[in-house]
Amino acid sequence: MLKIQLCLLALLLGLAIAEETRKSYKGYKVYLLTLETQAQLDFLNRMNDDLLTKDLAGEVELWTERNQLTKALPQTVNMMVSPREDKEFLRLINGQTIQHKVEIPDLSVLLEEESYISPSDQRVISEGGMTWTAYHRYSTIERFLETLATNYSAIVEKSTLGKSYEGRNLYLMKIGKPRADGKTKPAVWMDAQIHAREWIACATVTYMMNKLVTEYGLNETVTRMVDQIDWYVLPVINVDGYEFTHTNERLNRLTRQINPFSSRIGADPNRNYDHKWMLQGATQQAGTEIYAGPFPFSEPENLHLTEAVLQRRNQIKTLLTFHSAVQMWLLPWGYDLIYPDDYQDLMQMGVRATDALTAVYGTRYAVGSSTELLGAAAGATDDWGKAKAGVKYSVTVELRNPRGFGAPSTASSFILPPEQIIPSGLETFEAIRVVGEIVYQEFGPTLN
Ligand code: 0X9
Ligand code: ZN
């Protein structure tokens, strides 16, 4: 009896501590500022640099593409401001006569809506199931992967790639019907959640896995996809960062590794690959959104991914790494404004895949060089996949933005209402269907 009471107490304490560490965004506002003059732009640049040194990160944050300002004027930018810093922030902004309005009056309201789990979802989760009407913790995703592998062993294989920095297992799922003659089929690799806060990424990818597996033999298109192609899926790569977005800071992008030279935790894993590491669009300033880590592959999760891809490099013909939220199909090279020789083929696949995606609900996508569309950023998965693993079609897929096509990606773009998970899954499935068809046509039914 005493044991039970003690256990209960420990559980309650654990919950209390978890509650306490979760950052509350109560009263946090998101402003839209319009910068019209060079003086205002310079002022905001200085303010942004100051924020890091004064350790106000998390209280006042610039929310623009990769948290950097461009040189363009006029320019609109978002700033997130805590209730504590609001007065001082307004004083400074007004001092520069910067036009501003409140775009999100209370960020916590948005987050509460996002994390709402309906009673029916609750029931499914408590029974060990998975849903696509809510965002889920890693333990739920782990159980889902296990269930797929157990219940559909004829077409699903689950393997463990190794552990994250904090010791969580990273899983690779293989979905494919083995050929009767034992020959190797061409494969497509998909990974998601390298950026912790981009929750729609693993939600979409798990939705697509579920469709591939549960509709095999029932739906002609799905059956063909699983017969012709092996689909390798790593649904959550930055798993520590992902859990941290659930338990502590919803808007964290980075990993959770302690840094050797800084008290700031984590690095941007999408700047941590060794191809042209740190060349452009990355920094050595720990704590920033584009901190590339102290050296290439400092993040163990990245290394696990590369080992898994390299082991299957002759088989994998396309690599899709899922992010959000600018609705783009991004092609190499991303480290500089240089185009690979086979760029036309990559463009063709991108246009066909996103046309099929758009046909479902009209969600528009841009297709093109990621440097051209977003600016150079070295050390990302796509460049590594093409340069170091020799995967011809190596693509970053940026999923839905809640404000739609063309809207800038700011931190609130990662808060996509859970009602959009299934639509995102369905439309993105059309894109991967086309990818499968192109890979099958180009590389043939077998590779040996
Ligand atoms: O900057 C990134 O890492 C990606 N965008 S995000 O807003 N999800 O952070 C785009 C990466 C594109 N690929 C390369 N630059 N190589
Ligand atoms: Zn991302």
Side-chain angles (χ1 to χ4, degrees), residues 65-66 114 135 191-205 250-253 270 321-330 365 374 396-402 407-416 424 428:
E65 201 67 64
R66 299 171 184 152
E114 182 198 41
Y135 294 104
D191 63 74
Q193 220 61 53
I194 191 160
H195 284 146
R197 64 191 173 185
E198 297 167 9
W199 282 6
I200 189 60
C202 78
T204 299
V205 164
R250 170 64 187 91
L251 296 174
N252 163 61
R253 163 178 164 110
N270 213 32
T321 180
F322 287 89
H323 289 246
S324 67
V326 280
Q327 301 185 194
M328 286 180 185
W329 190 274
L330 297 167
Y365 263 63
L374 286 182
T396 295
V397 185
E398 292 266 349
L399 299 171
R400 284 185 176 207
N401 184 321
S409 170
T410 73
S412 61
S413 311
F414 309 117
I415 307 164
L416 190 73
S424 170
T428 313

Side-chain angles (χ1 to χ4, degrees), residues 276 279-280 331-340 369-372 375-378 383:
K276 310 279 176 190
L279 189 78
Q280 286 189 78
L331 307 174
W333 301 109
Y335 65 85
D336 205 351
L337 194 55
I338 298 171
Y339 299 85
S369 138
S370 76
T371 304
E372 211 179 293
D383 281 358

Side-chain angles (χ1 to χ4, degrees), residues 344-394:
Q344 279 319 318
D345 292 355
L346 273 65
M347 270 303 274
Q348 220 171 63
M349 175 192 271
V351 170
R352 281 181 56 192
T354 55
D355 278 353
L357 185 155
T358 306
V360 184
Y361 299 104
T363 311
R364 287 171 61 202
Y365 263 63
V367 184
S369 138
S370 76
T371 304
E372 211 179 293
L373 293 173
L374 286 182
T381 317
D382 48 10
D383 281 358
W384 176 87
K386 189 159 179 65
K388 296 285 174 101
V391 178
K392 175 174 175 180
Y393 298 98
S394 195

Side-chain angles (χ1 to χ4, degrees), residues 218-254:
L218 303 171
N219 169 330
E220 213 180 298
T221 307
V222 168
T223 307
R224 199 180 53 240
M225 286 167 79
V226 175
D227 281 340
Q228 294 181 341
I229 302 286
D230 282 340
W231 302 87
Y232 289 104
V233 192
L234 199 179
V236 184
I237 161 146
N238 177 8
V239 52
D240 299 342
Y242 180 66
E243 278 298 275
F244 192 70
T245 60
H246 282 274
T247 55
N248 295 56
E249 266 187 56
R250 170 64 187 91
L251 296 174
N252 163 61
R253 163 178 164 110
L254 311 177

